[in-house]
Amino acid sequence: MKIACLPGDGIGPEIMDEALRVLIALDMPQVTVDRALVGGAAYHQHGHPLPDATLTLCKEADGILFGAVGDPTCDNLERSLRPEQAILGLRRELGLFANLRPAQCFTGLEHLSGLRPEIAGSIDLLIVRELNGDVYFGEKAMRTTADGRREGYDIMSYAEDEVRRIAHVAFRAAQGRAKEGERGKLCSVDKANVLETSQLWRDVVIETAEDYPDVELTHMYVDNASMQLVREPGQFDTVVTGNLFGDILSDQASMCVGSIGLLASASLGADDTEFGTRGLYEPIHGSAPDIAGKGKANPMAMILSLAMLLRHSLGQEAAAVRIEDAVAKTLADGIRGGDLGGDAGTKAIGDAVLERL
Ligand code: IPM
Ligand code: MG
């Protein structure tokens, strides 16, 4: 089983070190790890944020463990050379169209949310974000109009097969999360009152629902969903939405549970490996250049991303649960990073998780 390890920029390498220590501690001789450069780190070394060698390594891997990309020294480069293009390129080149972003409030952390503790404590949801289409990948340009004004545009579009495949992933996820004896719950988020793209999205999600009578489907406009997410987040179980709305709502959900430093994500393609689904696993947070290299970053989201990789791409459910339990126990024991108002550094948190593992 091959893992491609891409630490990336900023805090990426420090938090990746802790995830790899966890992997080593699990003592899985069947797993090999190969490292490669990505993002600004790759640009500075090879002149491109996603060098061919990195892409090839990822194509050959069963799972990709990804740190973070983003480097302020690259802000003035043309868009195609900026670090963010590496993650967008990997999602697109590897056909990773389904992004799973779970958000749940860890016991004992309710008071760290910006929401009231009883509201934060009710959060246990999964955002299923489409990752290969939408305004992210439509035609885009900056141009000058006939009358001399500068104009930027990005075309938003979804084809029905793109919506259908993400809808299937979401319905199955909702089924999997259903409580014993209850129907699954799926809320599709769109802006069908204004956008044609969203009307098609809604029509196709409704058609797909026919295959899943055991899942209750509801629809919500994205502005309302954003409001409901802070008003009564406990109402959501599985949420499915497009690329742009999912980007925004998942950051919002992460802050509702207390810290973006705790949330992992999986980006999956079709079922195509011997072990499960090929996928890329990364924290939801970015490269945090302001604290990079200071040993302050919370590695928990990175460590939890490793757990998701073991579960979804390598079929190692028991190992995934061990990691998740060790992280939950570390938090419950009061060991917290600066993002959670504590003073534990990157290594100290890694040590604490290892001890409990
Ligand atoms: C994310 C990030 C990326 C996105 C950026 C880095 C391109 O914000 O994974 O949510 O917009 O998808
Ligand atoms: Mg984002």
Side-chain angles (χ1 to χ4, degrees), residues 101 129 136 247-248 250-251 284:
R101 299 193 160 184
R129 168 189 174 196
Y136 271 64
D247 180 42
I248 299 166
S250 59
D251 265 31
I284 285 188

Side-chain angles (χ1 to χ4, degrees), residues 1 85 114 168 205 212 219 222 245 275 277 307 313 323 325 330 332 337:
M1 304 177 183
Q85 294 305 310
H168 279 293
V205 171
Y212 302 91
H219 304 273
V222 63
F245 300 155
F275 311 109
T277 305
S313 288
I323 295 175
D325 286 350
T330 305

Side-chain angles (χ1 to χ4, degrees), residues 196-277:
E196 288 301 309
T197 313
S198 281
Q199 188 58 57
L200 179 89
W201 175 281
R202 190 175 282 218
D203 293 347
V204 175
V205 171
I206 290 171
E207 288 159 24
T208 312
E210 286 172 18
D211 294 350
Y212 302 91
D214 53 343
V215 176
E216 176 197 319
L217 172 67
T218 54
H219 304 273
M220 207 180 268
Y221 297 137
V222 63
D223 49 349
N224 185 27
S226 162
M227 190 262 279
Q228 296 296 338
L229 203 51
V230 290
R231 194 187 75 88
E232 196 199 332
Q235 72 186 282
F236 295 106
D237 182 66
T238 309
V239 172
V240 64
T241 189
N243 207 344
L244 182 63
F245 300 155
D247 180 42
I248 299 166
L249 290 178
S250 59
D251 265 31
Q252 190 185 340
S254 71
M255 220 42 228
C256 294
V257 306
S259 170
I260 197 166
L262 298 177
L263 298 189
S265 76
S267 303
L268 307 176
D271 290 356
D272 61 356
T273 77
E274 203 185 322
F275 311 109
T277 305

Side-chain angles (χ1 to χ4, degrees), residues 90-92 94-98 131-132 267-269 278-280:
L90 280 169
R91 289 172 182 169
R92 191 71 178 176
L94 300 175
L96 306 173
F97 67 91
L131 216 51
N132 269 192
S267 303
L268 307 176
R278 186 184 311 273
L280 180 149

Side-chain angles (χ1 to χ4, degrees), residues 16-26 346-348 350-351 354:
M16 183 65 82
D17 283 348
E18 300 311 308
L20 291 179
R21 286 210 293 153
V22 168
L23 180 62
I24 289 167
L26 286 170
T346 313
K347 281 259 164 307
D351 286 342
L354 280 172

Side-chain angles (χ1 to χ4, degrees), residues 10-344:
I11 59 171
E14 335 166 21
I15 57 175
M16 183 65 82
D17 283 348
E18 300 311 308
L20 291 179
R21 286 210 293 153
V22 168
L23 180 62
I24 289 167
L26 286 170
D27 191 22
M28 304 173 90
Q30 72 277 36
V31 176
T32 61
V33 178
D34 288 298
R35 290 171 90 100
L37 291 173
V38 76
Y43 172 78
H44 293 305
Q45 198 85 30
H46 301 292
H48 197 279
L50 182 57
D52 285 342
T54 301
L55 184 58
T56 306
L57 184 75
C58 291
K59 283 185 174 161
E60 287 166 358
D62 299 297
I64 302 155
L65 200 54
F66 190 96
V69 286
D71 175 347
T73 70
C74 296
D75 280 353
N76 295 321
L77 294 175
E78 62 169 270
R79 186 171 299 281
S80 66
L81 293 176
R82 290 195 208 155
E84 291 77 9
Q85 294 305 310
I87 185 66
L88 297 175
L90 280 169
R91 289 172 182 169
R92 191 71 178 176
E93 289 287 327
L94 300 175
L96 306 173
F97 67 91
N99 189 210
L100 310 185
R101 299 193 160 184
Q104 127 231 4
C105 194
F106 286 90
T107 313
L109 298 189
E110 298 84 354
H111 62 291
L112 295 172
S113 164
L115 304 179
R116 286 202 304 280
E118 68 275 19
I119 295 181
S122 71
I123 303 177
D124 182 3
L125 57 87
L126 171 71
I127 297 182
V128 179
R129 168 189 174 196
E130 200 288 332
L131 216 51
N132 269 192
D134 202 349
V135 73
Y136 271 64
F137 293 100
E139 186 191 321
K140 55 178 74 229
M142 194 99 83
R143 65 184 174 192
T144 306
T145 60
D147 59 357
R149 289 173 304 149
R150 282 175 305 152
E151 180 186 64
Y153 67 91
D154 303 83
I155 293 181
M156 175 182 272
S157 74
Y158 266 122
E160 59 177 317
D161 52 309
E162 293 176 303
V163 180
R164 200 167 289 116
R165 65 180 184 173
I166 191 71
H168 279 293
V169 171
F171 277 108
R172 286 201 297 267
Q175 277 178 330
R177 288 170 56 90
K179 300 193 182 67
E180 189 77 38
E182 288 180 27
R183 289 172 88 201
K185 274 179 69 181
L186 179 63
C187 177
S188 171
V189 172
D190 62 34
K191 188 71 185 171
N193 51 345
V194 179
L195 305 172
E196 288 301 309
T197 313
S198 281
Q199 188 58 57
L200 179 89
W201 175 281
R202 190 175 282 218
D203 293 347
V204 175
V205 171
I206 290 171
E207 288 159 24
T208 312
E210 286 172 18
D211 294 350
Y212 302 91
D214 53 343
V215 176
E216 176 197 319
L217 172 67
T218 54
H219 304 273
M220 207 180 268
Y221 297 137
V222 63
D223 49 349
N224 185 27
S226 162
M227 190 262 279
Q228 296 296 338
L229 203 51
V230 290
R231 194 187 75 88
E232 196 199 332
Q235 72 186 282
F236 295 106
D237 182 66
T238 309
V239 172
V240 64
T241 189
N243 207 344
L244 182 63
F245 300 155
D247 180 42
I248 299 166
L249 290 178
S250 59
D251 265 31
Q252 190 185 340
S254 71
M255 220 42 228
C256 294
V257 306
S259 170
I260 197 166
L262 298 177
L263 298 189
S265 76
S267 303
L268 307 176
D271 290 356
D272 61 356
T273 77
E274 203 185 322
F275 311 109
T277 305
R278 186 184 311 273
L280 180 149
Y281 302 82
E282 59 175 326
I284 285 188
H285 63 69
S287 60
D290 53 328
I291 56 164
K294 297 189 179 153
K296 285 187 185 172
N298 184 350
M300 284 181 166
M302 189 76 248
I303 293 172
L304 291 168
S305 299
L306 170 65
M308 287 187 100
L309 184 153
L310 292 169
R311 168 175 297 123
H312 293 288
S313 288
L314 301 190
Q316 303 289 314
E317 175 69 22
V321 171
R322 272 184 74 191
I323 295 175
E324 288 163 352
D325 286 350
V327 170
K329 179 111 206 337
T330 305
L331 286 169
D333 289 345
I335 294 154
R336 293 172 195 168
D339 58 318
L340 297 169
D343 56 10

